[in-house]
């Protein structure tokens, strides 16, 4: 039997990378093996991956040499950064540089970079429709990832840039579940007007990435965009109401109100929603549901995601 192609998965103990590691492990005859990279090989998440058949390898993307070692001998790598751990674009950029350089130096055949738009291409810093943050960004957690597309390109590593979408899992884990509004009605709160928000079950991001690896070099040098469904806030609220059996509405607050909520990252996220709203045709067009389903036939709709996760959505 031919040797399996190893995919080195950054973030394998987390949401995106975990989905990819599990997709590889679930497909015993697919010809790929999962190498789960983590800073904490003894964590419960790492142990679970090892038990499911992954090779667990220590790696810290802040450390260039550790990434090189972890990528050695692999066919491909899934590269992701976690902005919300440190709120530092500089750190994300340095990590991207380490991963791109390691992929090139170790001769990997295919790298997927989990990315988002550099919104400054649409909203230059001089555009005052939204505040400039940290002196040089509009949507810091987007802009750094988009800027890093250029780092991967310049490195010469054979890269697919994969544009991800809003996780529906944010309703469970990111404090976005329905809460009583000023009128007492339960509401999900985000500023999108009546425009559509592309969303996805986070587990499907990894499954789509697996689909990209399975298609060989077809998407090397290209950008692909994925999502599970594109729905307005009102459509999401209606579906959530049905699933949870209680009325939930969409609270479409103004962008400035959202930016002023005061939690860490509120301004960044307020700007993000405004970008998705103001450039909605581009933003939705860059993420195709049909293409995502080709990559991953198990792709969940929002209704299907709700059926699985409704009991875990904190309400109130
Ligand atoms: N929430 C959304 O709607 C959304 C949508 C699109 C994109 N995103 C982006 O998704 C990213 C986070 O991905 P996620 O949700 O999969 O994260 P997550 O579930 O919070 O997990 C983070 C993962 O990154 C790993 N990691 C972090 N720093 C590392 C380092 N220095 N070296 C090695 N591994 C490191 C962690 O591994 P160990 O701790 O085991 O080392 C963990 O596996 C963010 O940058 C965010 O901007 C989020």
């Amino acid at each position: 039997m031919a040797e399996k192609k190893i995919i080195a998965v950054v973030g394998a103990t987390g949401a995106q990378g975990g989905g990819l590691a599990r997709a590889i492990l679930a497909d015993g005859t697919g010809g790929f093996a999962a190498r789960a990279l983590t800073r904490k090989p003894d964590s419960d998440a790492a142990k679970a991956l090892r038990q499911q058949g992954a090779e667990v390898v220590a790696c810290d993307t802040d450390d260039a040499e550790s990434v090189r070692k972890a990528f050695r001998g692999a066919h491909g790598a899934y590269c992701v950064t976690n902005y919300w751990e440190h709120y530092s674009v500089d750190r994300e950029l340095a990590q991207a540089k380490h991963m791109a350089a390691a992929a090139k130096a170790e001769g990997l055949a295919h790298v997927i970079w989990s990315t988002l738009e550099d919104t400054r291409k649409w909203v230059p810093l001089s555009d005052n429709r939204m505040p400039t943050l940290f002196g040089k960004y509009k949507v810091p957690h987007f802009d750094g990832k988009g800027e890093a597309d250029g780092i991967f390109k310049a490195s010469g590593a054979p890269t697919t840039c994969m544009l991800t979408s809003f996780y529906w899992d944010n309703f469970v884990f990111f404090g976005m579940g329905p809460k009583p509004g000023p009128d007492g009605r339960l509401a999900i709160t985000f500023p999108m007007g009546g425009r559509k928000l592309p969303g996805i079950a986070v587990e499907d991001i990894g499954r789509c990435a697996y689909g990209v690896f399975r298609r060989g070099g077809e998407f090397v040098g290209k950008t692909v965009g994925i999502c599970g469904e594109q729905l307005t806030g009102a459509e999401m609220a209606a579906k959530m109401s049905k699933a949870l059996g209680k009325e939930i509405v969409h609270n479409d607050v103004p962008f400035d109100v959202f930016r002023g909520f005061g939690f860490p990252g509120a301004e960044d996220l307020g700007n993000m929603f405004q970008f998705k709203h103001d450039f909605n045709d581009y933003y939705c067009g860059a993420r195709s549901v049909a293409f995502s389903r080709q990559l991953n036939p198990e792709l969940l709709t929002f209704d299907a995601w709700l059926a699985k996760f409704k009991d875990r959505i904190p309400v109130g």
Side-chain angles (χ1 to χ4, degrees), residues 11 13-16 38-40 60-61 81 83 145 164 167 170:
T13 56
Q16 292 191 23
T38 172
R39 293 164 295 182
K40 298 164 259 173
D60 185 341
T61 54
T81 49
Y83 177 82
K145 292 182 181 70
T164 59
Y167 307 171
N170 292 333

Side-chain angles (χ1 to χ4, degrees), residues 143-160:
D143 296 348
K145 292 182 181 70
E147 187 173 327
D149 292 1
I151 293 175
F152 278 89
K153 202 170 175 191
S155 74
T159 305
T160 302

Side-chain angles (χ1 to χ4, degrees), residues 52-287:
Q52 290 165 53
E55 173 195 7
V56 175
V57 170
C59 172
D60 185 341
T61 54
D62 288 323
D63 172 0
E65 188 49 35
S66 110
V67 185
R68 267 200 76 161
K69 276 195 199 143
F71 281 9
R72 198 156 294 158
H75 162 84
Y78 185 74
C79 298
V80 61
T81 49
N82 186 11
Y83 177 82
W84 301 111
E85 186 177 304
H86 44 67
Y87 297 83
S88 164
V89 177
D90 286 346
R91 195 157 157 196
E92 277 195 297
L93 289 170
Q95 292 173 343
K97 211 173 248 176
H98 297 157
M99 292 188 282
K104 177 66 181 168
E106 296 300 328
L108 268 52
H110 194 176
V111 176
I112 297 178
W113 165 235
S114 172
T115 194
L116 291 164
E117 284 84 354
D118 184 342
T119 64
R120 297 166 297 181
K121 291 184 188 161
W122 288 264
V123 193
L125 297 187
S126 57
D127 187 331
N128 291 325
R129 79 177 74 198
M130 59 180 77
T132 293
L133 304 177
F134 305 123
K136 48 183 175 175
Y137 303 109
K138 287 298 189 185
V139 185
H141 80 286
F142 268 53
D143 296 348
K145 292 182 181 70
E147 187 173 327
D149 292 1
I151 293 175
F152 278 89
K153 202 170 175 191
S155 74
T159 305
T160 302
C161 293
M162 192 173 82
L163 292 163
T164 59
S165 290
F166 174 88
Y167 307 171
W168 292 322
D169 309 71
N170 292 333
F171 293 122
V172 177
F173 300 108
F174 211 65
M176 290 192 71
K179 295 181 191 58
D183 61 359
R185 292 201 296 174
L186 284 172
I188 47 173
T189 298
F190 49 86
M192 279 300 290
R195 310 254 164 107
K196 292 197 184 281
L197 177 65
I200 193 163
V202 71
E203 191 76 8
D204 277 330
I205 295 180
R207 292 198 189 116
C208 288
Y210 183 48
V212 170
F213 281 123
R214 280 169 56 90
R215 300 250 304 241
E218 191 178 341
F219 303 114
V220 166
K222 299 198 168 117
T223 295
V224 300
I226 56 166
C227 72
E229 204 170 353
Q230 306 189 351
L231 296 166
T232 64
E235 287 168 338
M236 293 173 96
K239 287 176 182 295
M240 204 179 274
S241 302
K242 211 166 156 196
L244 298 184
K246 41 181 89 146
E247 194 204 9
I248 294 161
V249 295
H250 174 220
N251 180 19
D252 179 33
V253 288
F255 302 116
D256 277 334
V257 170
F258 193 97
R259 279 190 275 267
F261 277 158
F263 63 84
E267 284 186 299
D268 186 333
L269 293 173
N271 285 2
M272 173 195 81
F273 283 117
Q274 188 167 1
F275 167 70
K276 293 181 184 183
H277 173 276
D278 288 3
F279 301 93
N280 198 249
D281 286 348
Y282 155 75
Y283 190 78
C284 291
R287 290 154 171 80

